[in-house]
Amino acid sequence: MRTTTLPRTDHPLTAARLREAFLAAGFTVDGLLDLLGAPAYTALARSETVPALRATRGDGPLPTLVRLFLLQENVPHARVSGVLPVDDCLAAGWLTADGEDAGGELRANVDVRPYGGPSGEDWYIVSDLGCAVGGAAGIGSHDEGVVLGVGGASTTLAGLTVRTPVASALDLGTGSGIQALHAAQHATRVTATDLNPRALHITRLTLALSGAPDAELVEGSLFEPVGDARYDLIVSNPPFVISPGARLTYRDGGMAGDDLCRTLVQEAGERLNEGGYAHFLANWQHVAGEEWQDRLRSWVPRGCDAWIVQREVQDVTQYAELWLRDAGDHRTEPDAYAARYEAWLDEFEELRTRAVGFGWITLRKSGAQEPSIVAEEWPHPVEQPLGETTRAHFERQDWLRAHDDAALLAGHFKLADEVVQEQVGLPGSEDPEHVVLRQHRGMRRATQVDTVGAGFAGVCDGTLSAGRILDAIAQLVGEDPVVLRERSPEQIRLLVEQGFLEPVV
């Protein structure tokens, strides 16, 4: 890991000129895939660079740029000069010369990673050296000011964010600027904050090199640097790691337990405009004698609906080992490693923490007197991006809140696209033991229904009201239609809430 002087933003070699050179050489996501091949390309995400090094042995503009900016290899001056304006790159601080003359070698001062935008845009994410290849999977840095590049958490947050046009967006704890870059595509004004001034500098480089509008960049912690300003969209991939102390700024929250994530969520309500969304990635404690869902429901600010999804749970030993490896502590002296491990376990014991959950929290400022707060565990694969799924979830909550059981029975519904029915039972049996509805889009949910629920969902095409469909089913199965109408709204409500049925309005 080398933390270097960052490129200047006031040099005549503008990021726009460098971007032109990158594009001309094919230094893009598609170009990388073509050059490296799928196995070497995916190996980079595992922090394995040997296949990529083998694929870039030859001359040419693209192998040169890959070795220089993505693999952080020293490259001969003569090889680079055929691709980039070397003197300007040296003066602007993008490159450093290791030799005394043109016969020496050049190295990059920052990591630059091609990144594909949602509509096929060619973007570039700048980060500190060694902090993009493989993301945070064991970067081994003890430098508290290091700025990470693209990782799984970054892309997860970008994918689940609602992307409707807005007037104002806030990227809180911007890091290398990935969320600000996405927000700049649909927000008139973007503000990005970070406690680390190095991160703000790198965010400016990311935006400029990607051809995006500049953002308002403000230094400070949490919401403090923006005062009482309100936004239509807030996104944050904060330093959510629950750790003893705040040794590493890029990942450690610096507050006791999960207090940093709790504070972010609780204070977001006052910073959202009506109808605005806030999206957070977070870790949270599983405390002895307390349900994690109740713990997180207590975080939700007044006037906000919330959708909380727990994606993973680790016991305290797994969690400590993960982040000890992330900082490279497993490569220190055994006694030092054991002491750090003990400190983590002491912290968890003091906080009565039995496990740690990871997932995402989405708020929507609804102003509802009876807010919808859904806290669920969903460790299964989902289809990214989830922005439209997230938006539709909250729209369904609005609809359900406005419709009692009588209105539900009078409503018309249609089966959502790409929902299939699966029947499980013994071969030759007359009736299935289980009937399951399964989604192939979005959250890819599966839910078990009874034969009435399956029959109801199967005929929902928007033409008949729910009540008339239930009356017809009652006649077919010989059941009292009044009784069926009384017991069916709960199941219909669940199917609507989970997106299997869509109200026809």
Side-chain angles (χ1 to χ4, degrees), residues 69-140:
F69 286 106
L70 191 59
L71 302 178
Q72 286 97 58
E73 292 290 307
N74 284 15
V75 179
H77 186 291
R79 184 172 172 180
V80 179
S81 63
V83 186
L84 299 174
V86 171
D87 290 343
D88 285 341
C89 285
L90 290 169
W94 290 96
L95 301 177
T96 293
D98 277 352
E100 294 296 328
D101 51 37
E105 293 189 325
L106 301 172
R107 56 181 170 84
N109 286 332
V110 288
D111 188 309
V112 179
R113 176 172 176 172
Y115 179 76
S119 299
E121 299 94 343
D122 290 314
W123 291 343
Y124 298 94
I125 308 300
V126 181
S127 64
D128 274 314
L129 295 171
C131 293
V133 175
I139 63 171

Side-chain angles (χ1 to χ4, degrees), residues 391-414:
R391 183 191 57 77
H393 167 88
F394 288 97
E395 287 187 351
R396 290 194 299 271
Q397 302 307 311
D398 283 343
W399 192 91
L400 288 169
R401 188 159 41 212
H403 290 74
D404 59 16
D405 285 355
L408 200 70
L409 292 173
H412 294 239
F413 304 92
K414 66 183 183 70

Side-chain angles (χ1 to χ4, degrees), residues 364-401:
R364 197 270 306 264
K365 187 70 170 286
S366 66
Q369 294 296 317
E370 297 183 8
S372 164
I373 302 176
V374 177
E376 61 175 324
E377 186 163 12
W378 191 255
H380 311 294
V382 299
E383 180 194 43
Q384 284 279 29
L386 276 172
E388 277 300 298
T389 299
T390 303
R391 183 191 57 77
H393 167 88
F394 288 97
E395 287 187 351
R396 290 194 299 271
Q397 302 307 311
D398 283 343
W399 192 91
L400 288 169
R401 188 159 41 212

Side-chain angles (χ1 to χ4, degrees), residues 29 71 89 114 130 142 167 176-177 240 259 281 385 390 438 448 477:
V29 171
L71 302 178
C89 285
H142 290 85
S176 57
F240 52 65
D259 279 357
L281 297 187
T390 303
R438 187 179 301 277
Q448 185 173 327
V477 300

